Amino acid sequence: EAQVTQNPRYLITVTGKKLTVTCSQNMNHEYMSWYRQDPGLGLRQIYYSMNVEVTDKGDVPEGYKVSRKEKRNFPLILESPSPNQTSLYFCASSLWASGSSNEQFFGPGTRLTVL
Amino acid sequence: QQPVQSPQAVILREGEDAVINCSSSKALYSVHWYRQKHGEAPVFLMILLKGGEQKGHDKISASFNEKKQQSSLYLTASQLSYSGTYFCGTGGSGGSNYKLTFGKGTLLTVNP
């Protein structure tokens, strides 16, 4: 089944404890992206990747790191999480980075709580 | 800067029509529309490219007016399944997902 998977789905952690949220897609998509969703703020892009080893900042990159060593994987790293990073995180992928039918497929989301 | 969506929320009865607007303070190159049902991930509806095109998707269509820097999503003869939060996103040229900036969303509730 074509899909984007994220792990873990739920995570409660403490301030300063490094964590990684994994994202994997099995559709051979070139483009991948991370978003966070907070009540009343909509979806905000954190980082995106146009291809392997090519990443760039979105609107809210502070406090996050990403890497794209393989086409299928795009982990989100929080080196020193803080309470303001408590949020619902979505990973998404699309076949290409642009195009008139450039549908993004979203993962199921990871709910992160930082105490 | 996030595009501005209006209204923030709308309640309809099944069969009624609705329009959701998306305005940007900067030049628009592409507008991406997604719908998110409660507790689920966003799902793609359509992308509109610069050029004032209209697109349709079942009874959901959209227009893009680059001069006015806005897009509108039209939901005709709404069904219960249309309920959810609708997001517009402003992207780069050619429908690019680079630096895709979403609005805060419009909550649509369709009642029987």
Side-chain angles (χ1 to χ4, degrees), chain A residues 100-101, chain B residues 29-31 46-56 61-66 70-72 74:
Chain A
S100 61
S101 298
Chain B
Y29 296 98
S30 62
V31 180
M46 65 190 79
I47 293 175
L48 296 100
L49 303 183
K50 190 175 176 179
E53 65 175 45
Q54 275 195 275
K55 270 195 171 182
S61 61
S63 63
F64 179 15
N65 188 322
E66 63 199 77
Q70 68 182 36
S71 175
S72 295
Y74 306 95

Side-chain angles (χ1 to χ4, degrees), chain A residues 31 37 41 57 97 99 102, chain B residues 2 34 36 55 94 97 99 101:
Chain A
Y31 178 91
Q37 184 172 31
L41 295 180
K57 298 176 182 178
N102 197 27
Chain B
Q2 286 183 285
Y34 284 78
Q36 183 179 29
K55 270 195 171 182
N97 290 325
K99 301 254 187 211
T101 302

